[in-house]
Amino acid sequence: MVTQRALSTVHVRAPGKINVFLKVGAVMDDGYHDVATAYQAVSLYENVRATISDDFSVSFSGSIDCSGLEVDGTNLAIRAARMLARKAGYRGGVHLDVEKNVPIAGGMGGGSADAAATLVACDTLWGTDLGRDELLGLASRLGADVPFALTGGTAIGTGRGDQLSPALAKGSFQWVLVLADFGSSTPEVYRELDRHRDRHAQDIFPAQTQPTVDTAVLQALRSGDSLVLADALYNDLQAPALHLNPALTGILELGEANGALAGIVSGSGPTVAFLAENLDAALELQIALSAARHRVVRVTGPVHGARVIGD
């Protein structure tokens, strides 16, 4: 059902994410890997402004180079808008102005955040009022990380990562991110993991069982203790990401030598996330990494998911 609204533009903000834990299982029938992950949404945001239009279009701005992004029907935000229009029977279109701050192909779900923000923005702009459950259903069809960008906070993801259950997280965690000047192909990182496992098949039987999130991670999140969480950080994709991009190893070593409790490649990389004990430690780490000429952003988590905000 579409209700008449007097809105001309809707602004929605959606966060990037860090996988504080990621275990990868076997390849499923749909070609995706079975995963178990603990997501945390962090305060590095994508901003989507949706404006009524006769057709579907997208433009980009923001703090990162967007020159290589597609602006046709293959763009995930455009796909999200069109999927919502078909679902709701809406006959118009939308122009999407996307302000990008989450690194492209950086392992932080920037494209997924764009899609989640688009679903919320168009649902509000068009007055389609689909509701949370229907929006989550569309989000799952768009990509594994899109449902979490919609919900935000801290959550456990299973299946492709799109089957979410909330995880209790106390307090706030301080992160320092090193943003690479290049992107990483998620499918290629997974292929590298599969190649490694094929070469060492006799040693990886546990990877063929259903993956689960370690209880130590859940306990660390519940306690809000950064020291405990630092010991529990884990990512099955880190080794293949480092193999494909050896320079990331030096970044991890540099961060840990300058006071980080722990560092981890975010998702499939190449963004490296460092967990700091507190705000002062995060500021010192940010300064040290910036002095080494890395592009650095300090963020906190968890934060809310895609949400309408005022301009």
Side-chain angles (χ1 to χ4, degrees):
M1 177 181 177
V2 179
T3 58
Q4 192 67 32
R5 295 287 171 90
L7 299 171
S8 59
T9 301
V10 172
H11 177 190
V12 173
R13 189 170 71 172
K17 56 82 179 173
I18 295 171
N19 298 82
V20 300
F21 182 93
L22 178 59
K23 183 84 76 172
V24 179
V27 180
M28 300 183 291
D29 291 341
D30 61 3
Y32 285 88
H33 287 74
D34 189 17
V35 305
T37 187
Y39 292 110
Q40 184 160 107
V42 295
S43 57
L44 186 61
Y45 297 100
E46 302 281 86
N47 289 283
V48 173
R49 290 172 174 83
T51 305
I52 290 288
S53 177
D54 293 331
D55 56 9
F56 293 86
S57 59
V58 63
S59 58
F60 295 99
S61 61
S63 62
I64 56 180
D65 181 9
C66 302
S67 58
L69 291 177
E70 300 292 342
V71 295
D72 58 14
T74 63
N75 181 271
L76 193 60
I78 293 288
R79 288 173 53 203
R82 285 179 166 161
M83 184 180 290
L84 177 60
R86 288 194 300 270
K87 174 72 174 179
Y90 181 74
R91 297 180 179 274
V94 68
H95 174 70
L96 303 168
D97 178 21
V98 181
E99 178 194 317
K100 292 196 67 66
N101 299 295
V102 178
I104 298 168
M108 292 191 67
S112 296
D114 295 342
T118 295
L119 290 175
V120 174
C122 291
D123 187 51
T124 304
L125 181 71
W126 296 337
T128 47
D129 294 325
L130 286 192
R132 174 185 171 88
D133 288 344
E134 287 189 285
L135 289 179
L136 280 171
L138 294 178
S140 181
R141 290 167 55 191
L142 287 163
D145 292 338
V146 182
F148 178 69
L150 200 61
T151 61
T154 305
I156 304 303
T158 55
R160 296 184 301 155
D162 59 331
Q163 299 172 26
L164 299 177
S165 57
L168 184 62
K170 180 181 178 182
S172 182
F173 294 92
Q174 300 286 335
W175 298 93
V176 178
L177 310 177
V178 175
L179 311 182
D181 57 3
F182 57 91
S184 179
S185 165
T186 297
E188 179 56 28
V189 175
Y190 272 99
R191 283 193 292 269
E192 179 62 23
L193 176 65
D194 290 338
R195 286 192 289 265
H196 174 78
R197 288 178 169 178
D198 288 342
R199 290 192 298 267
H200 303 87
Q202 69 276 14
D203 300 325
I204 57 139
F205 178 77
Q208 305 308 317
T209 63
Q210 186 172 16
T212 58
V213 174
D214 287 355
T215 56
V217 178
L218 301 177
Q219 292 168 354
L221 293 169
R222 280 197 298 268
S223 71
D225 190 324
S226 298
L227 290 167
V228 177
L229 182 59
D231 288 337
L233 295 179
Y234 180 80
N235 181 6
D236 262 340
L237 295 180
Q238 179 159 307
L242 295 179
H243 187 263
L244 292 171
N245 301 294
L248 299 180
T249 301
I251 294 173
L252 284 164
E253 292 172 349
L254 180 64
E256 293 179 0
N258 281 276
L261 296 177
I264 190 170
V265 172
S266 180
S268 57
T271 302
V272 177
F274 292 103
L275 181 60
E277 185 172 0
N278 51 43
L279 177 57
D280 288 343
L283 288 167
E284 291 179 6
L285 179 59
Q286 181 182 16
I287 291 169
L289 291 171
S290 296
R293 305 199 173 192
H294 291 293
R295 186 168 167 229
V296 182
V297 178
R298 180 174 50 82
V299 299
T300 60
V303 298
H304 61 75
R307 179 179 295 182
V308 177
I309 63 174
D311 285 301

